[in-house]
Amino acid sequence: MELLKLAGVFCVMILVLWRKKPLSWAVAAAALAVWLLFWMPARTFAAALVRGAVRWDTIQLLLVLYLITFLQRMLEKRGCLTSAKDALDGLFNSRRVDASAAPALLGMLPAVGTVLICGDIVRQSTDGFLKTEEQACVTSYYRHVSELFFPTYTSILIAVDLSAGKVSVGGFTLAMLPMLAVLMAIGWLFYLRRIPKDAGFFAGRPKAFYRKLLLRSLWTIIFTVILIVAFGVPVHIAVLACIVCNLFVGRFGWKELRPFFASAFEARLMISTLLIMMFKEVLAAAGVISAPPAFFSSLPVPPFLVFALIFFFGSVAAGSQAIIVLCMGMAMAAAAQGGLALFVLLMCMAYAAMQLSPVHVCLAVCAEDYRISLGTLIRKTVPLVGVFCLAAFGYYGLLRLFGF
């Protein structure tokens, strides 16, 4: 009975999203559905909402999102990621690097419009060697590489928070590096190996210049990741430290910085995240998180497979954030011990599904840019995603073998 109610909540969320409404609307509707379906007392429901809004984890997450967006504005102002692409040209003079590493670097900026910049780079690198629909696939595929592991994306931060302390941001980032290598290799296997290496770039300066240019362009990102992964610094402190250092290194004046304080506050993202954290508390208060794992453990099918399928098909239908909010807490409760292996598998499934999801707005933008249908782009991406999912299951088994 509990699972049927939970399925009803999921259906409410999907219905709202399919009506092209924002994620915040879907989460709010799902919270109301939990209240009504699980017969929660009004006082309990209200207390859960308040608790979710004022918890330090919620405040910290909102602070992280604001600071990351602020840093993004600084990087955009100085054209850092574009400079990184120029540095790659000077160092490698490779069409394959341009078509893969450059979109992956630009993808570190979580903005929809980035896919258009990546499209221009991929066209220049692959024109005459790949068909239009293949160029679109390469653009979309490599532009989203960073979303798999980079600890500045909202879905990753929310998922780690929902892991109930079983997974840290640094531990997750390190654990994802082998899957990142797999992701890059799959794109090479299907497409990039068909492209000639030589990009015809004339390096008018020595290699040392381009190495320094690459370091100057990416030092903020490298510094942030080192603080988080190597030293276990909380994400909000690491990003804030990076911003402070960049004030001096980038020689930002007050006139340049002043607009960032307002533009870094993305109301839609902040409201959605706040509602997600409140919804998490509602689920906990209703006892939703603790009930399903007991049911799944009694099935003849391994729980990890059940959750993997739920995350994949749920993300295709409703998007990764929706399924993470609804099911990550339950999945982690079902993990008998550790939990990192299961967490990595589920995040891989959610990531892979988003590359095929019609609710993923970047896919629609990419398809429109290349003047192909969304269905064509998805069909081209399916084989790459299929191989990645098989590799994710193999990696899960390896992690479990070593006790993770």
Side-chain angles (χ1 to χ4, degrees):
M1 188 62 178
E2 300 294 319
L3 288 179
L4 289 177
K5 293 178 181 179
L6 186 60
V9 174
F10 184 57
C11 289
V12 168
M13 187 176 284
I14 290 180
L15 180 62
V16 175
L17 289 171
W18 279 5
R19 291 180 66 85
K20 307 299 183 183
K21 301 300 181 182
L23 179 62
S24 57
W25 288 36
V27 173
L32 291 174
V34 172
W35 180 26
L36 297 175
L37 291 175
F38 287 85
W39 293 96
M40 294 178 65
R43 180 174 296 181
T44 303
F45 179 73
L49 291 177
V50 173
R51 191 164 56 249
V54 302
R55 284 180 63 218
W56 168 240
D57 288 348
T58 301
I59 297 171
Q60 182 177 328
L61 182 57
L62 294 175
L63 180 60
V64 167
L65 297 179
Y66 178 80
L67 292 173
I68 287 172
T69 308
F70 194 98
L71 179 60
Q72 177 185 334
R73 298 291 185 268
M74 298 175 79
L75 296 178
E76 289 172 343
K77 186 68 175 178
R78 291 291 181 264
C80 290
L81 295 186
T82 303
S83 298
K85 191 268 180 186
D86 295 337
L88 291 175
D89 278 336
L91 288 173
F92 299 102
N93 186 29
S94 171
R95 293 176 180 270
R96 298 175 184 178
V97 171
D98 285 349
S100 56
L105 290 174
L106 289 168
M108 291 178 178
L109 293 179
V112 174
T114 305
V115 75
L116 300 177
I117 303 173
C118 296
D120 290 338
I121 296 172
V122 171
R123 284 189 189 91
Q124 295 172 17
S125 305
T126 64
D127 199 26
F129 306 102
L130 295 180
K131 299 177 181 177
T132 301
E133 57 269 25
E134 293 173 335
Q135 291 177 330
C137 178
V138 169
T139 300
S140 175
Y141 183 81
Y142 280 109
R143 178 261 178 266
H144 292 104
V145 162
S146 298
E147 292 187 17
L148 173 70
F149 77 106
F150 204 63
T152 57
Y153 274 89
T154 310
S155 58
I156 293 175
L157 296 173
I158 291 173
V160 170
D161 183 81
L162 294 173
S163 71
K166 291 187 175 182
V167 178
S168 67
V169 174
F172 168 75
T173 303
L174 283 177
M176 274 299 195
L177 292 181
M179 291 309 298
L180 170 64
V182 169
L183 199 62
M184 299 296 288
I186 290 172
W188 178 88
L189 180 66
F190 277 83
Y191 292 118
L192 297 188
R193 62 190 178 91
R194 292 158 46 188
I195 305 170
K197 290 183 179 180
D198 190 357
F201 178 82
F202 174 72
R205 296 175 180 267
K207 295 285 186 181
F209 169 83
Y210 294 106
R211 282 194 289 268
K212 291 178 181 178
L213 178 61
L214 186 63
L215 184 60
R216 284 201 306 269
S217 303
L218 299 180
W219 77 265
T220 51
I221 295 171
I222 297 170
F223 181 46
T224 302
V225 173
I226 289 175
L227 287 178
I228 295 170
V229 176
F231 297 99
V233 176
V235 178
H236 66 286
I237 295 178
V239 178
L240 180 59
C242 188
I243 288 173
V244 172
C245 292
N246 200 30
L247 290 177
F248 300 99
V249 176
R251 298 180 181 180
F252 281 90
W254 172 246
K255 289 185 178 180
E256 288 181 301
L257 289 175
R258 187 168 54 187
F260 298 165
F261 288 96
S263 65
F265 187 87
E266 295 189 357
R268 184 171 179 175
L269 175 61
M270 292 289 190
I271 293 172
S272 295
T273 304
L274 177 62
L275 289 174
I276 284 170
M277 300 304 286
M278 295 165 70
F279 178 56
K280 182 188 79 168
E281 289 297 322
V282 171
L283 289 176
V288 177
I289 293 176
S290 57
F295 172 79
F296 288 133
S297 63
S298 66
L299 294 176
V301 181
F304 81 87
L305 182 57
V306 174
F307 278 112
L309 294 175
I310 289 174
F311 266 69
F312 184 86
F313 291 106
S315 295
V316 169
S320 59
Q321 280 198 22
I323 200 65
I324 285 170
V325 172
L326 198 60
C327 296
M328 184 58 80
M330 292 182 287
M332 289 296 98
Q337 50 186 310
L340 179 61
L342 180 61
F343 187 89
V344 167
L345 174 64
L346 298 184
M347 292 302 286
C348 285
M349 291 298 106
Y351 168 83
M354 283 303 291
Q355 310 318 308
L356 310 175
S357 175
V359 303
H360 190 172
V361 66
C362 287
L363 303 189
V365 172
C366 184
E368 179 66 24
D369 184 44
Y370 279 94
R371 300 181 184 277
I372 63 173
S373 69
L374 180 60
T376 299
L377 175 59
I378 291 175
R379 282 196 300 273
K380 283 292 180 182
T381 310
V382 165
L384 289 80
V385 166
V387 174
F388 177 76
C389 288
L390 291 176
F393 278 107
Y395 187 49
Y396 166 80
L398 187 64
L399 289 175
R400 291 294 297 140
L401 182 65
F402 286 96
F404 292 100

